[in-house]
Amino acid sequence: MDQHQEAVSKISTSISGFYQRQVPFRLYHGSTNSTQARKVDPSRMVDTSLLNHVISVDRKNMTCLVEPNVPMDQLVDATMPHGFVPQVVMEFPGITVGGGFSGTAGESSGFKYGFFEDTVNWVEIVLGDGEIVRASREERSDLFWGAAGSFGTLGVTTLFELKLIPAKPYVELTYHPTSSAADALSTMQTACDDETNDYVDGIMFAEDHGAIVAGRLTDDRGQSFQRFSLAQNPWFYIHAERATKGHVESLVFTTPLRDYLFRYDRGAFWTGKYAFQYFITPFNRITRFILDYFMHTRVMYHALHASGHASKYMIQDLLLPSSTAEDFIHFVGKNFGFWPLWLCPFKIDRPLSLHPRIPESSKPAGETSTYVNIGVWGPGSTDYGRFVQQNRLLEQEVRKLGGIKWLYAQAYYTDDEFTEIYDRKWYEALREKYHATYMPTVSDKVRVDISKAAQPPATWSDWLRSTVWGVWPISGLYGVWKTLYQRDYLLAK
């Protein structure tokens, strides 16, 4: 803890200096799983990259103390030897504890435990004036819930106490084949109602083919054993699709717990297949084996940012009330034709982060609302103006159906639309109370300036850069080169 306290003291001093000068600052974490493009001015930066330790595991109370830059794989590897695993583990190994808390994240245990922030007992946070405080459900609860999902705009979180559950070496997976969106959602609800299940999610491979996957922690290796983490193993979604295609009865497989938790790492769910299409490369078991190094999410996110392809692919997670999820699936299939789609159920009994003005969010505290996260990931228009319109169409349909989008991804709302959706009065009052008004807002951090979509290049150099960058496969090759040779990625690896 001495090392932690020394690091936090330095962060506090740095923030205090910015506060006295009323100079906005950004955080440098050392890595990101966001699709947002960010540039950081070193003179206006607070470096938290050294806060990357699991400090302790408390077996008696089933909790652990974790710093914000601890990624999910490090967290799992630190807790499993003690016989525990976090209640919610995000599916990509590189997603950090701090990122999951400040950006609102969840996974297939969310139907039991809610979002990642629901598994946090308390946080240590450095406020906008440099004061170091603790926030929890009982102490500074407004700050605790305000900081969850507000992208570090109320202060800098420096320590978390997380809830753990007993771990077992394997997960028994039951694949339930489904024939429609309605069938998938009904089957998923049945799986969520079964208290023996520890994990539930689903994939819609096409309008008429889906699979709901229910997982149970087990000590039994089982007869149908399947791994997903090695280069020679199938990608998880491919395995689920082939296993359920043409089947009516459920199928059972067993996999190691760690393989299950990070089952979507190879191929980043299924978005890795678009890299094969981009480079006109066959997509089969042999090429996936040969190119496996490039198909892990840490590498893919690095290439996504370096190549600029975050502005070419629609990467959106949308949270819909269970009652309108089917309509949204049909809308995406009709208007975009993106398959597969990811389905992940959640039960929440509190206001959502940033207090969005949606019907389910207005329910009294303690009354449970059920949601379905729908992952929509696919290639957008190569024309940037059209690409913006596609994303805005998706956002508008989500609002129409009473849902919201996760803000880790590019947001194409206007400032007025953002204010209509989220309770800015409540948010600004919190920023005033905790001395954060000089810091960037959530809107500043997540919104894309869509006015630029219709503007021509400002200079000849901008025109030349945009023209050359758009020539296949220059941007893609540059992204690959950066993943191989850029120093900060190799150091992190």
Side-chain angles (χ1 to χ4, degrees), residues 185 188 318-322 325 343-346 370-374:
L185 293 168
M188 188 164 66
L318 304 313
L319 190 70
L320 280 298
S322 297
L343 310 178
C344 190
F346 291 95
T370 59
Y371 297 92
V372 179
N373 179 93
I374 301 178

Side-chain angles (χ1 to χ4, degrees), residues 270-271 274 312-316 338-340 375-381 387 390:
W270 38 84
T271 58
Y274 298 123
K312 297 181 180 180
Y313 288 83
M314 297 178 66
I315 304 175
Q316 303 285 359
F338 289 162
W339 305 104
V376 179
W377 313 309
S381 173
F387 178 77
Q390 290 175 325

Side-chain angles (χ1 to χ4, degrees), residues 142-416:
D142 59 344
L143 176 62
F144 179 81
W145 292 117
S150 62
F151 292 82
T153 59
L154 293 178
V156 179
T157 49
T158 53
L159 188 64
F160 297 79
E161 184 180 85
L162 303 181
K163 300 176 184 177
L164 305 174
I165 56 174
K168 293 186 179 181
Y170 305 106
V171 178
E172 180 189 81
L173 301 176
T174 302
Y175 294 179
H176 300 282
T178 62
S179 58
S180 67
D183 184 19
L185 293 168
S186 175
T187 303
M188 188 164 66
Q189 184 58 55
T190 300
C192 290
D193 291 339
D194 185 345
E195 295 182 357
T196 65
N197 286 330
D198 297 295
Y199 305 100
V200 175
D201 74 334
I203 306 172
M204 288 298 300
F205 304 106
E207 191 82 40
D208 59 354
H209 177 206
I212 299 303
V213 182
R216 298 175 182 173
L217 291 165
T218 179
D219 294 310
D220 185 4
R221 190 175 188 271
Q223 295 182 345
S224 298
F225 184 75
Q226 178 64 59
R227 297 204 62 179
F228 299 107
S229 61
L230 306 178
Q232 63 268 29
N233 299 148
W235 289 7
F236 178 75
Y237 94 92
I238 294 175
H239 183 264
E241 182 176 22
R242 291 176 177 171
T244 56
K245 192 173 182 60
H247 284 264
V248 177
E249 299 297 324
S250 300
L251 301 94
V252 178
F253 301 89
T254 306
T255 194
L257 173 58
R258 199 180 191 280
D259 281 40
Y260 173 79
L261 295 175
F262 304 123
R263 66 202 179 282
Y264 290 120
D265 177 45
R266 296 172 61 241
F269 283 89
W270 38 84
T271 58
K273 69 179 180 180
Y274 298 123
F276 287 81
Q277 293 175 7
Y278 177 83
F279 287 109
I280 317 178
T281 302
F283 184 66
N284 56 47
R285 183 173 61 183
I286 295 174
T287 56
R288 288 193 296 273
F289 174 82
I290 295 172
L291 299 172
D292 184 70
Y293 168 81
F294 296 98
M295 290 294 105
H296 291 261
T297 49
R298 278 191 173 96
V299 180
M300 289 184 65
Y301 267 95
H302 196 73
L304 182 71
H305 286 286
S307 65
H309 282 211
S311 296
K312 297 181 180 180
Y313 288 83
M314 297 178 66
I315 304 175
Q316 303 285 359
D317 276 82
L318 304 313
L319 190 70
L320 280 298
S322 297
S323 57
T324 62
E326 181 183 352
D327 292 338
F328 185 72
I329 293 172
H330 293 315
F331 168 84
V332 173
K334 178 181 177 181
N335 290 275
F336 299 99
F338 289 162
W339 305 104
L341 299 175
W342 187 48
L343 310 178
C344 190
F346 291 95
K347 292 181 181 178
I348 301 295
D349 59 0
R350 59 173 178 82
L352 293 175
S353 298
L354 295 178
H355 293 194
R357 297 183 178 94
I358 59 176
E360 287 291 303
S361 190
S362 63
K363 285 187 175 181
E367 186 173 339
T368 299
S369 296
T370 59
Y371 297 92
V372 179
N373 179 93
I374 301 178
V376 179
W377 313 309
S381 173
T382 55
D383 176 78
Y384 186 65
R386 174 60 183 155
F387 178 77
V388 170
Q389 292 174 3
Q390 290 175 325
N391 279 276
R392 284 183 56 75
L393 177 65
L394 195 70
E395 291 172 347
Q396 289 162 4
E397 187 66 18
V398 171
R399 290 183 64 188
K400 176 183 173 184
L401 295 176
I404 58 169
K405 62 177 290 179
W406 294 142
L407 296 176
Y408 78 86
Q410 305 278 9
Y412 296 85
Y413 301 123
T414 65
D415 189 58
D416 289 342

Side-chain angles (χ1 to χ4, degrees), residues 1-9 11 48 50-59 63-71 74-79 82 86 97 122-124 134 157-162 164:
M1 280 297 288
D2 290 344
Q3 182 180 353
H4 169 80
Q5 290 170 352
E6 181 180 348
V8 173
S9 179
I11 291 171
T48 64
L50 296 180
L51 295 179
N52 56 5
H53 302 91
V54 178
I55 293 176
S56 65
V57 176
D58 185 336
R59 295 189 182 192
T63 60
C64 63
L65 287 181
V66 189
E67 292 180 321
N69 290 316
V70 171
Q74 180 184 340
L75 178 60
V76 168
D77 291 343
T79 58
H82 295 274
V97 170
W122 54 262
V123 299
E124 177 186 75
R134 182 179 293 193
T157 49
T158 53
L159 188 64
F160 297 79
E161 184 180 85
L162 303 181
L164 305 174

